[in-house]
Amino acid sequence: MRNEPKEIPVYVFMGFLESGKTTFAKDILINQEFTEGAPSLLLVCEEGEVEYDEKELKRRNISVEYISDEDLTEEKLVGFGKKYNPENVIIEYNGMWELDKIFKVKVPNGWTVVQVISFVDATTFDVYVNNMKKIMMDQLRNADMIIFNRCDENTTTSEYRRSIRAVNRRAQVIFEDKQGKPLENDDEVVLPYDIEQDTIVLEDEDFGIFYIDAADNPDKYVGKKIKFKAQAHRPSNFKKNEFVPGRFAMTCCANDIAFIGFKTYYKDAKVLSDRDWIMVEGTIGKEYYPEFQGEGPIIKADNVVMVEAAKDDLVYFNY
């Protein structure tokens, strides 16, 4: 029987220059001794104003290699693996490089990406989104954790959180102040609909807010009845009684348009066609979503009828 290669966890830190990647890495590697003395490898893909103290890292059995875009190859990584034989690998990725490259390059046997963290400077977030939209959104979509740092009293945390949830439902979103301390309270959420009514009735423009809040707090909605207008979508891998009623949404931080909605069970789902405008009435439940590595809302529809289209094809995520 062949021995399987030992799993070597790889942690990827993403973000633009001066987004806080190096500061975070220094803190966990030196102050918190994240690697606990095990032989580890830190791959640095860009050099910012904050520098690593390589002597301190060496004392903790952490080796450092600075690599360029051309160095990010299978040959180079395999060479590093043989040279250092690390038990942990931390990659501080260059925010200006194409993200696909790091996920497509073949890595040494056993190297497994276990966590991707994106760092965002809250004071420059809107500027980067407006000017480097694709790169920024790729970083946010692929992250397991997103840390907004340098937040102050002007940071619209609830707006940013909704923007993230529109493109990445599974990521943990953290906001930190200028001293690096987590904010104790985000902006208070006031829903535009009454969740305590016998039936939650969504206005056409409220679907985006419902989607975000239900995705974040599924338990709050389990057992609630709901009525809303949506467009039908039937993925090719869905069963005859499954479809997704949803809306096309534009996030408040990007001009990306995506279809959002929750899996719904309905006995006559097979008669629905993509883009049909429908009114859905049903009960909200909860189910495990493999793609999100956790539970999320589903709807058990009692009634679905054809209706006129909404006045606005798009929904947004502002209250």
Side-chain angles (χ1 to χ4, degrees):
M1 182 177 178
R2 294 178 58 187
N3 292 326
E4 293 292 328
K6 179 182 177 181
E7 181 176 295
I8 300 169
V10 177
Y11 304 87
V12 181
F13 299 162
M14 299 188 298
F16 291 110
L17 190 66
E18 310 307 328
S19 63
K21 302 188 298 293
T22 305
T23 299
F24 180 85
K26 287 178 61 178
D27 181 49
I28 66 167
L29 294 177
I30 295 178
N31 298 332
Q32 300 183 37
E33 299 190 357
F34 176 71
T35 58
E36 299 181 334
S40 303
L41 175 61
L42 172 62
L43 298 178
V44 182
C45 301
E46 67 178 352
E47 296 185 60
E49 291 185 2
V50 179
E51 298 180 350
Y52 288 101
D53 187 333
E54 295 187 32
K55 290 183 178 179
E56 283 294 328
L57 291 174
K58 190 173 183 179
R59 291 191 186 101
R60 290 161 175 77
N61 209 10
I62 302 171
S63 302
V64 184
E65 286 282 357
Y66 294 86
I67 61 176
S68 65
D69 192 9
E70 293 76 19
D71 290 332
L72 191 59
T73 63
E74 176 187 356
E75 182 180 3
K76 277 285 187 180
L77 295 181
V78 169
F80 292 148
K82 291 179 179 179
K83 180 178 180 180
Y84 298 107
N85 195 26
E87 293 184 17
N88 304 281
V89 177
I90 300 94
I91 302 176
E92 183 184 326
Y93 198 64
N94 189 317
M96 297 302 296
W97 296 356
E98 286 293 332
L99 194 60
D100 286 349
K101 184 168 185 177
I102 193 172
F103 293 118
K104 289 182 178 179
V105 66
K106 190 173 181 180
V107 298
N109 287 339
W111 286 27
T112 304
V113 176
V114 296
Q115 188 175 43
V116 177
I117 304 178
S118 282
F119 295 85
V120 180
D121 181 345
T123 64
T124 60
F125 178 57
D126 292 328
V127 174
Y128 276 117
V129 164
N130 290 331
N131 294 281
M132 299 180 182
K133 195 171 304 173
K134 182 182 184 304
I135 297 176
M136 172 64 82
M137 300 312 290
D138 282 348
Q139 292 180 14
L140 299 179
R141 286 191 183 97
N142 287 278
D144 301 301
M145 178 186 294
I146 299 169
I147 299 177
F148 282 84
N149 50 51
R150 303 182 180 95
C151 297
D152 57 26
E153 65 278 4
N154 297 315
T155 304
T156 54
T157 56
S158 62
E159 180 178 306
Y160 288 169
R161 187 185 298 279
R162 293 195 300 271
S163 300
I164 299 302
R165 285 289 176 262
V167 297
N168 185 341
R169 283 179 50 194
R170 63 183 174 81
Q172 180 182 5
V173 183
I174 297 172
F175 296 93
E176 296 180 345
D177 62 20
K178 294 181 179 180
Q179 286 70 49
K181 296 180 181 179
L183 297 185
E184 293 184 2
N185 297 303
D186 291 344
D187 296 344
E188 182 181 359
V189 175
V190 179
L191 299 173
Y193 50 83
D194 189 351
I195 196 172
E196 299 303 328
Q197 289 293 319
D198 292 339
T199 299
I200 300 171
V201 179
L202 301 181
E203 298 297 329
D204 292 351
E205 62 272 19
D206 294 341
F207 186 85
I209 302 303
F210 161 70
Y211 175 83
I212 298 298
D213 196 58
D216 275 350
N217 309 283
D219 290 336
K220 184 167 74 175
Y221 288 86
V222 171
K224 299 284 185 179
K225 292 187 177 300
I226 189 165
K227 180 178 180 180
F228 61 94
K229 181 183 290 187
Q231 285 186 281
H233 174 51
R234 296 200 67 238
S236 58
N237 62 333
F238 270 30
K239 299 177 181 178
K240 293 182 178 180
N241 68 328
E242 299 172 349
F243 78 108
V244 178
R247 297 289 302 275
F248 285 93
M250 179 182 293
T251 72
C252 63
C253 69
N255 288 326
D256 296 83
I257 296 176
F259 188 80
I260 59 172
F262 298 122
K263 185 177 183 179
T264 296
Y265 297 92
Y266 179 57
K267 61 180 180 179
D268 294 324
K270 62 183 179 181
V271 305
L272 299 174
S273 299
D274 279 0
R275 300 296 186 99
D276 280 346
W277 280 97
I278 53 178
M279 185 68 73
V280 179
E281 295 182 72
T283 303
I284 301 172
K286 187 172 66 172
E287 191 175 279
Y288 181 78
Y289 282 75
E291 62 269 33
F292 300 121
Q293 302 174 8
E295 293 183 323
I298 57 95
I299 299 171
K300 296 180 180 178
D302 301 311
N303 191 38
V304 176
V305 296
M306 301 292 178
V307 294
E308 292 183 357
K311 292 181 179 179
D312 193 339
D313 285 343
L314 297 176
V315 293
Y316 305 86
F317 297 98
N318 50 325
Y319 294 113

